[in-house]
């Protein structure tokens, strides 16, 4: 289902779980969720999967878009609901909605250390196109290159 404002309380624990598991060094996971939850819902970017008892058991968000593509992120299933295909369903459903809205492609990022998601996404039609590297620039740090000596 596409999340509506009334779904916020059910979605919040999933988004908090995502931040806590994926970014354990984050000092304010609740603040990060507060920044995103309302925007995701207001902009029709949050997708939820409900089980037979209508409990929200998985989530995925369209984190960003370009003119032609959408990027899924925040894919999360709480530990007690894992292993039942909920993440597969929410990613597949969200991808179909985004393509129907006009995206010519959907992409997502995955943790290379997560064997479950790395096996799941190709079964849904996703293909590996590259690897990303995060680089943090620290204030006051010197930049050195292999061919030049620092001043």
């Amino acid at each position: 289902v596409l999340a509506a404002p009334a779904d916020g309380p059910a979605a919040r624990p999933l988004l908090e779980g995502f931040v806590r598991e994926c970014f354990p060094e984050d000092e304010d996971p609740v603040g990060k969720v507060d920044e995103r939850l309302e925007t995701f819902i207001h902009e029709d970017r949050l997708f939820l999967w409900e089980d037979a008892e209508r409990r929200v058991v998985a989530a995925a968000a369209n984190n960003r878009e370009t003119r032609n593509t959408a990027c899924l992120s925040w894919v999360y299933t709480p530990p007690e609901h894992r292993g039942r295909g909920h993440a597969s369903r929410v990613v597949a459903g969200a991808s179909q909605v985004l393509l129907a809205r006009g995206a010519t492609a959907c992409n997502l990022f995955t943790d290379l250390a997560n064997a479950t998601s790395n096996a799941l996404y190709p079964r849904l039609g996703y293909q590996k196109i590259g690897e990303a590297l995060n680089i943090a620039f620290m204030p006051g740090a010197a930049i050195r290159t292999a061919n030049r000596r620092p001043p």
Side-chain angles (χ1 to χ4, degrees):
V1 297
L2 188 58
D7 296 314
R12 176 175 293 284
L14 277 74
L15 298 187
E16 287 178 11
F18 173 84
V19 173
R20 290 181 199 284
E21 285 190 33
C22 295
F23 304 100
E25 72 286 351
D26 194 307
E27 295 178 7
D28 186 18
V30 174
K32 186 178 289 289
V33 170
D34 287 340
E35 290 173 17
R36 298 298 187 102
L37 180 59
E38 186 175 332
T39 300
F40 283 158
I41 291 174
H42 177 73
E43 295 179 358
D44 292 334
R45 293 174 174 247
L46 183 62
F47 301 88
L48 306 174
W49 190 262
E50 296 177 343
D51 66 6
E53 287 82 40
R54 301 199 42 95
R55 295 176 298 181
V56 175
V57 295
N62 175 9
N63 196 37
R64 60 189 165 275
E65 315 180 292
T66 67
R67 183 178 45 173
N68 299 315
T69 64
C71 181
L72 286 177
S73 185
W74 295 73
V75 178
Y76 185 75
T77 304
E80 66 272 17
H81 297 294
R82 292 180 184 164
R84 298 182 184 114
H86 301 315
S88 297
R89 292 181 192 102
V90 75
V91 168
S95 299
Q96 289 175 348
V97 169
L98 294 169
L99 291 169
R101 286 183 184 171
T104 58
C106 292
N107 62 62
L108 52 81
F109 285 90
T110 184
D111 180 355
L112 292 176
N114 186 331
T116 301
S117 62
N118 292 319
L120 160 75
Y121 297 136
R123 290 195 307 260
L124 298 176
Y126 282 88
Q127 299 173 2
K128 180 179 176 180
I129 59 171
E131 294 182 16
L133 175 66
N134 288 333
I135 299 174
F137 292 96
M138 306 303 289
I143 299 174
R144 297 180 187 210
T145 66
N147 298 326
R148 296 177 55 195
R149 292 182 180 208

